[in-house]
Every structure is written in structure tokens, then in C-alpha cells.
Amino acid sequence: MEKEFIRQVNNHIGILHKVCNSYFFKNPYWEDYFQEILIRLWRAFPNFKHQSSFSTWMYRVAINSAIDIIRKLSIQPVHTELSKNEYEIPVSFSFTESEEKNKLYSIINELNINEKAIILMYLDEFSYEDIARTIGISTSNVGVKINRIKNKLIKISNRYESK
Amino acid sequence: MNQNSLKSIWKLAHESKAYNLNNQDYIQSIIRKSHSSGFSKIMKEIKLKIFIYSTSLLTLIGLVIYGFIYLKIELSTAIVLPFMFAGLFLIFKSSSEIVRYSILNNQMDNLPIKEAGIYFGERLAKIIKIDFIIYLALFYSMGIFFLLGLFLNIGGIKAWAISTNLSSLLFIFSFLLFITPWLIRKILNQRYKDVNLNLKNSIDYYIDEAS
């Protein structure tokens, strides 16, 4: 089971990056949250029943974990300073910042945690049905939300460009 | 940026080769841990606090039982009061750390995101409620116990006028015992205000607007 999990996560590691970048953009503890979500994915893996694709399941667990971490940090805000070597992050995992990517995540960062969940899956080409199942709302509601979020993103983007 | 270009910008921004590298050894080393470094430190700190507070509380209870029941030492109320305060403080601290630990340890990542939020809110409310009931039972029984002892010592409520300053002090202390659970509830509500607001906003956000 461990080998299967590692293989699947390795194939879809981009999802983890996207979720972490969206929820913890430029956060000094980005790597720590990345690791915590990875651990929680592994813990949740025995409950993966192949009713959806692995990537859909991974999005669900990773987004849930990220939101849960944000909520829990508001209860336990004290985060002990960690040294870089405590993370043991390989070079390929570290947050590479291209200008385009930075701008994109700066814009996404202005959305609330629920909007981020929906737009992330939309941008990654998931169907409305998949998004609806992951979030737990109706497909038509997904459509309404996506339109609103897209308009909001464009407004934020225009604000950035006019600066 | 326009509505149609969103996806293409997203795609372009994520055409990184880093995602295609083999990170299997790294993944394996991380999933062998129970928590990430930061969370591990937080959990260890909370566990240590629970251990210190509960061990101190048990030691205090043990000393009180040993002194008053086994050795039958008779001490004045003024000497007993600091022990009572210390005990109450330790109960409050250990219970609040246990609540914090159970909230942080609670996970429901496999549920749909909306349901996970609702479940988190319900569990949080339940934990706070149970915590409040424990305080209420504990502080009220102590308050009643104190008042009973007080009236027995001074010979009932009619004798209150001739009571000593110490009796007045005990009366005030009993009153404090009765209001403490409500004060603690206020503190807890304040502590969980942000997370409750966040949960309420999440639930409101997912209300079906399409129907």
C-alpha cells in the first residue's frame, strides 16, 4: 500500500504544490504545511475506495487539510521557529518563483478559503460534477460560484495591473 | 487577464519540470513521521503541559488526602484556601490543554469540504460544551460545599451578623466559585471566536444559490 501511495503522490505532486501555494502563499512555514498535508494524505489513504480518480481524492484531502490547518492555527497560533534543515526539502520541492506564478498566486491569495477550493479544481480542468462531489454542493451551485470567483479574480487582476 | 485566459495562464505557470522529478524517497521519509516538524513541536508542547498540570494536580490531591484524611491534620481555612486556588488553577489549565489537544488531533479529511467544516464546528461546540459542564459541576459543587461548611461553622444564616471577617471572605470565595464557570465560558468563546466566525462564513458561503 505504501509503494502504491508513494507512486500515485509522486505522479500528482503538482496538486500538493498548488494547494499549498494557494493556501499558504509566501508563508514562512510553507514547507511545514506541505509536509503535514502529505502526512495527512497518507493517513487518509486507507479510506480511498477508488470511487473517484486519485487526483480528485487527493484534491479533497489536501484542501480539507489546508483549511483545517488554517482553522487550527487560529486556535493554536504559536508556531515555533524552525531551522531550514528541519524541513529536509529537496531542491526540486522548494517553491520556485516565476513572475507569472507569483502574480497568479498573489491574486488567488485574495480569495477566501472556500473560493480557493473551487477555483483550484476548476483551473485544473476538473468537471463541475467532480468539484461538486469534492465540495459537497450541487453542480449548478458550482457553476454560479465559479462565475463569481472568475469575475472576482479579474477585478483583483485589474487592480494589480493598474498599480 | 480575462475569463477565458485564466486557464491558459494557470497552465503556463505550472509547466515546471520540478513536478516530473522522482521524489519517492522524500515522500517515503515524510510519511513515516506522525506530524511535520512544526506540528510535532506543538503537539509535544501540549502533551508536556498536560503531563505537568495533571501530575501537579494529582500530587496536590494526594498531599491533601494524606494530610487531612490520613494524618488528620487540622488547618485553618486561611491555610486551606491557597491549596484550593492552586487546585482550581491546575484543573482549569489541564482541562484547557486537553481540549486544545483533542481539537488539534481531530481530522476528517475524507469528507466533502462543506461537511468537514460542519463536522469540525459541531465537534468544537461539543468539546467546549462538555468542558463547560465539567467546570459548572466542579465549581458549583465546591461552592455549595463551601457555603454549607460556612453556615455550619457560624451557626446558620441568622448568625451571619456576628460572623468573623474570615466567614465573609469564605462567602466571597463561594460567590467567586459560582461565577467562575461563566467567566471561563466567556474566555473560551473569545478564544474560539475567530474559528467560529470562519466556520459560519464557510457554511454560509456554500448555501445553494442556483436553486
Side-chain angles (χ1 to χ4, degrees):
Chain A
M1 190 168 79
E2 190 185 282
K3 272 186 185 168
E4 170 66 7
F5 174 80
I6 293 170
R7 189 186 63 79
Q8 291 269 33
V9 169
N10 191 48
N11 289 342
H12 297 94
I13 203 72
I15 292 175
L16 208 47
H17 278 261
K18 288 166 192 168
V19 171
C20 284
N21 288 344
S22 301
Y23 284 92
F24 308 109
F25 181 63
K26 290 202 170 168
N27 188 304
Y29 302 109
W30 187 96
E31 289 94 339
D32 202 56
Y33 303 141
F34 183 96
Q35 288 186 2
E36 184 66 18
I37 296 173
L38 184 53
I39 294 164
R40 288 174 68 155
L41 275 165
W42 168 235
R43 273 199 221 143
F45 188 60
N47 293 317
F48 173 52
K49 305 288 182 218
H50 299 273
Q51 286 162 340
S52 60
S53 66
F54 183 82
S55 56
T56 311
W57 173 85
M58 194 171 164
Y59 251 115
R60 173 189 289 198
V61 177
I63 291 172
N64 256 333
S65 304
I67 292 174
D68 193 56
I69 288 170
I70 290 169
R71 284 182 183 139
K72 284 172 180 173
L73 286 174
S74 66
I75 297 171
Q76 179 73 42
V78 188
H79 205 303
T80 323
E81 192 69 47
L82 297 168
S83 61
K84 257 295 180 220
N85 57 7
E86 278 181 281
Y87 294 126
E88 302 158 14
I89 297 280
V91 183
S92 63
F93 265 70
S94 55
F95 186 68
T96 45
E97 297 177 24
S98 69
E99 202 183 318
E100 197 65 30
K101 208 170 178 179
N102 253 339
K103 191 186 152 195
L104 193 60
Y105 282 112
S106 300
I107 295 166
I108 290 175
N109 200 39
E110 296 208 19
L111 300 175
N112 68 41
I113 52 171
N114 311 300
E115 291 170 332
K116 282 176 186 174
I118 295 172
I119 204 69
L120 261 174
M121 293 190 75
Y122 165 79
L123 290 171
D124 249 355
E125 309 270 6
F126 282 89
S127 68
Y128 280 22
E129 286 77 19
D130 276 341
I131 301 173
R133 267 196 299 273
T134 304
I135 306 288
I137 57 177
S138 68
T139 314
S140 49
N141 199 10
V142 169
V144 173
K145 301 288 183 205
I146 285 174
N147 267 327
R148 285 216 185 127
I149 301 166
K150 280 200 287 190
N151 287 333
K152 193 172 171 181
L153 281 175
I154 287 155
K155 271 185 195 163
I156 301 166
S157 163
N158 291 340
R159 207 180 66 220
Y160 269 74
E161 277 162 17
S162 64
K163 271 181 191 175
Chain B
M1 186 188 280
N2 59 51
Q3 283 218 9
N4 301 324
S5 65
L6 266 172
K7 277 187 182 176
S8 54
I9 294 170
W10 177 260
K11 237 179 209 169
L12 201 71
H14 292 94
E15 279 177 345
S16 167
K17 284 177 185 170
Y19 300 146
N20 303 324
L21 291 175
N22 189 346
N23 293 296
Q24 298 203 8
D25 291 340
Y26 168 74
I27 296 168
Q28 191 177 42
S29 70
I30 296 302
I31 63 169
R32 299 252 160 109
K33 298 176 183 176
S34 57
H35 284 289
S36 66
S37 311
F39 277 84
S40 202
K41 278 191 177 181
I42 292 174
M43 299 310 259
K44 272 182 197 161
E45 273 172 28
I46 298 177
K47 274 191 215 167
L48 183 69
K49 279 182 187 170
I50 293 172
F51 176 75
I52 291 169
Y53 292 133
S54 46
T55 316
S56 309
L57 182 66
L58 288 174
T59 311
L60 186 77
I61 293 168
L63 280 173
V64 169
I65 292 171
Y66 181 71
F68 294 102
I69 297 171
Y70 186 72
L71 295 177
K72 292 180 181 166
I73 298 171
E74 283 187 24
L75 293 174
S76 68
T77 321
I79 295 172
V80 176
L81 270 181
F83 281 101
M84 293 284 296
F85 273 119
L88 292 176
F89 172 76
L90 291 171
I91 289 169
F92 172 67
K93 291 303 280 182
S94 47
S95 147
S96 95
E97 290 304 329
I98 291 168
V99 167
R100 199 171 286 199
Y101 184 80
S102 53
I103 292 170
L104 290 180
N105 224 13
N106 189 27
Q107 291 164 10
M108 42 267 155
D109 300 335
N110 271 304
L111 291 175
I113 291 153
K114 184 186 168 188
E115 269 181 52
I118 294 170
Y119 186 81
F120 183 91
E122 284 172 354
R123 187 153 161 79
L124 182 69
K126 199 175 164 186
I127 290 170
I128 296 170
K129 198 174 175 181
I130 291 170
D131 206 33
F132 174 66
I133 291 168
I134 291 170
Y135 286 132
L136 206 66
L138 189 81
F139 282 82
Y140 270 60
S141 51
M142 282 179 77
I144 291 165
F145 170 78
F146 250 78
L147 278 180
L148 274 175
L150 177 67
F151 285 128
L152 287 174
N153 276 334
I154 63 169
I157 201 154
K158 282 178 188 168
W160 179 252
I162 54 155
S163 64
T164 61
N165 284 336
L166 189 64
S167 300
S168 305
L169 191 74
L170 283 171
F171 189 76
I172 293 166
F173 180 65
S174 305
F175 174 73
L176 285 175
L177 286 175
F178 287 126
I179 62 161
T180 304
W182 303 96
L183 287 175
I184 292 173
R185 189 157 91 152
K186 208 172 161 56
I187 294 168
L188 289 178
N189 284 342
Q190 197 61 33
R191 180 185 292 165
Y192 299 117
K193 200 177 100 183
D194 286 348
V195 75
N196 276 325
L197 186 71
N198 172 301
L199 285 164
K200 191 189 169 299
N201 288 342
S202 286
I203 293 162
D204 288 348
Y205 180 80
Y206 292 127
I207 289 171
D208 202 332
E209 293 172 278
S211 53

